[in-house]
Amino acid sequence: MILSVLNLYLPFPIGNMVEWCLPQDIDLEGVEFKSMASGSHKIQSDFIYFRKGPFFGLACFANMPVESELERGARMKSVGILSPSYTLLYRHMHFLENQVRHQLETPGHYSHLAAFYEDKKGVLHAGPGRGGSLPPVYWLPSIHRYMYPEMKITHPAGCMSQFIKFFGEQILILWKFALLRKRILIFSPPPVGVVCYRVYCCCCLANVSLPGIGGTVPESKPFFYVNVADIETLEVEVSYVACTTEKIFEEKRELYDVYVDNQNVKTHHDHLQPLLKINSADREKYRRLNEQRQMLLYSQEVEEDYNPCEEDLFVLFFLEQNNRIFQTLLEVSSSQDKTLTAEHARGMGLDPQGDRSFLMDLLEAYGIDVMLVIDNPCCP
């Protein structure tokens, strides 16, 4: 892959600006705000995932007190990277953290960044079954101010267990909205790094591996951190999962379907309100998820050579749940009478009554031709 390096400088009288980057001819407009979350000046360090056009970025930010009137007592920088894929960005987290501290202590010295670029720019990474024609990978170290040591995780997938613990049973509500490809916006004040991981985890809930499924719905891709500069982009998006530190977004209801503030999941759409209620099938799924986790932890203690990943367990749990649902729907749609009954719903691990609205939205979203005959108890 081909790498580029970006350096951001944040003197208060000037504002966010690109201080240095490689290659020098890349368009980085707006990155100076994406790699420093709004409100970051109140914390000491952070990391942030973001999108810039077709690229994904990771930036590490740090803030250091200085005796300088020009900088108003604080030097704040962010060092970041851009890549066509977000899945490998975590590998360079340690480098970015070291470099942002180096830039704070010895500003203007870019030799380590330049050497990193020279070392990486000729490497072309091709995945299995793919040729060597991947788009170039642009790396930017940006300078971000703060870090969250209590929740520091080296890989976005590594936070799936914390994600589940944080939301508890609410994870089943997020799962349904993610599977329906709704526009999900997560609000949190800085630090935003761990919230970017929640964005990633939320997208993982919607994985489906059955062929022929998902052709009529947009791909579930994380937008990660967004700010007011992204409003025009979000206005035309029909599906996304993103996070922000800007409270003003809550008032802009036309931009999202689901708003998450801390552990409070809400929607302003009347037809989506039934999906906010935890039903008996949801509780059963959550019980099974925790039961599988306990079995995994026990197996790790007993079999020292067997170390399956807890995060993989969570991802696989929802993948199998999703495949189970769509496999049943496909079988019913290809049958002669195309009738989906309460028994089918229970077989998919759903509540025939509590998930009726969810099933109706699912059939519409994915364009599956079946007839739902589950009675609504609220109607005669």
Side-chain angles (χ1 to χ4, degrees):
M1 59 188 165
I2 303 171
L3 306 179
S4 76
V5 178
L6 166 72
N7 210 353
L8 301 179
Y9 183 48
L10 195 73
F12 283 106
I14 301 174
N16 297 23
M17 62 179 290
V18 176
E19 178 184 325
W20 182 89
C21 70
L22 284 177
Q24 296 180 353
D25 57 352
I26 184 175
D27 176 18
L28 297 178
E29 182 180 359
V31 169
E32 66 271 26
F33 298 103
K34 290 177 178 292
S35 56
M36 287 187 178
S38 178
S40 289
H41 62 280
K42 299 177 182 179
I43 57 177
Q44 292 303 308
S45 61
D46 199 4
F47 62 96
I48 185 169
Y49 283 81
F50 59 92
R51 283 184 67 173
K52 164 64 177 172
F55 300 107
F56 293 91
L58 169 63
C60 287
F61 167 88
N63 174 21
M64 182 178 74
V66 292
E67 295 182 3
S68 168
E69 292 185 6
L70 177 64
E71 297 173 281
R72 298 189 179 181
R75 180 176 300 154
M76 294 168 282
K77 290 178 181 280
S78 203
V79 180
I81 299 171
L82 283 181
S83 167
S85 170
Y86 58 85
T87 57
L88 298 179
L89 290 175
Y90 76 96
R91 293 185 176 181
H92 301 274
M93 176 84 79
H94 185 63
F95 172 80
L96 298 179
E97 291 172 357
N98 287 338
Q99 286 305 304
V100 69
R101 182 54 54 183
H102 176 72
Q103 290 299 319
L104 288 177
E105 296 171 352
T106 57
H109 292 76
Y110 311 117
S111 58
H112 292 161
L113 298 177
F116 179 82
Y117 173 74
E118 291 299 323
D119 178 58
K120 303 295 183 182
K121 69 176 182 179
V123 179
L124 199 64
H125 175 78
R130 305 175 75 172
S133 59
L134 287 178
V137 178
Y138 295 105
W139 282 87
L140 332 98
S142 325
I143 302 175
H144 221 210
R145 308 176 194 180
Y146 319 103
M147 195 70 193
Y148 201 31
E150 295 81 10
M151 292 289 289
K152 180 158 181 196
I153 307 153
T154 57
H155 189 303
C159 71
M160 182 63 78
S161 57
Q162 289 90 340
F163 175 69
I164 301 286
K165 293 172 186 175
F166 180 78
F167 284 106
E169 291 183 344
Q170 295 276 96
I171 195 70
L172 280 310
I173 294 176
L174 291 174
W175 162 65
K176 293 175 188 178
F177 285 129
L179 202 59
L180 292 172
R181 299 297 197 265
K182 297 303 180 183
R183 299 172 299 169
I184 303 173
L185 183 62
I186 304 173
F187 167 80
S188 176
V192 75
V194 69
V195 191
C196 289
Y197 283 166
R198 289 173 191 160
V199 169
Y200 170 83
C201 293
C202 197
C203 289
C204 290
L205 299 176
N207 289 338
V208 180
S209 62
L210 294 179
I213 291 296
T216 61
V217 295
E219 185 180 356
S220 180
K221 270 192 175 181
F223 267 60
F224 294 112
Y225 176 74
V226 295
N227 56 25
V228 291
D230 296 299
I231 287 179
E232 289 187 5
T233 300
L234 296 180
E235 284 175 339
V236 298
E237 290 293 332
V238 295
S239 174
Y240 70 80
V241 184
C243 63
T244 187
T245 59
E246 300 183 5
K247 196 68 173 176
I248 187 66
F249 272 95
E250 185 174 9
E251 302 174 11
K252 299 186 177 297
R253 294 185 167 188
E254 70 280 5
L255 298 179
Y256 62 86
D257 301 309
V258 181
Y259 189 82
V260 183
D261 186 345
N262 196 24
Q263 288 144 314
N264 182 25
V265 183
K266 57 185 179 180
T267 176
H268 55 276
H269 296 299
D270 291 340
H271 72 283
L272 295 179
Q273 292 295 331
L275 275 67
L276 296 176
K277 299 177 182 178
I278 299 291
N279 58 52
S280 59
D282 295 329
R283 294 188 178 93
E284 173 60 19
K285 278 191 284 290
Y286 188 67
R287 184 196 66 77
R288 286 194 294 110
L289 180 60
N290 282 320
E291 186 178 75
Q292 289 184 21
R293 177 176 174 269
Q294 292 302 319
M295 291 175 63
L296 173 65
L297 295 177
Y298 175 75
S299 69
Q300 290 175 335
E301 291 179 3
V302 175
E303 304 175 43
E304 296 181 359
D305 296 332
Y306 178 60
N307 289 308
C309 177
E310 183 180 352
E311 283 67 39
D312 289 346
L313 179 148
F314 287 124
V315 173
L316 184 61
F317 179 90
F318 286 100
L319 174 65
E320 292 179 341
Q321 174 65 54
N322 297 341
N323 285 348
R324 182 179 172 191
I325 289 175
F326 286 109
Q327 183 63 49
T328 301
L329 294 180
L330 290 177
E331 290 174 358
V332 173
S333 67
S334 61
S335 66
Q336 195 166 13
D337 62 1
K338 299 180 183 294
T339 301
L340 189 69
T341 67
E343 192 61 32
H344 286 127
R346 283 187 283 268
M348 292 185 286
L350 300 177
D351 186 315
Q353 303 299 341
D355 285 319
R356 187 176 189 276
S357 177
F358 169 61
L359 266 173
M360 292 177 65
D361 289 345
L362 201 66
L363 296 175
E364 181 180 357
Y366 288 81
I368 300 176
D369 182 22
V370 303
M371 183 171 61
L372 190 63
V373 296
I374 302 171
D375 293 332
N376 188 337
C378 299
C379 302

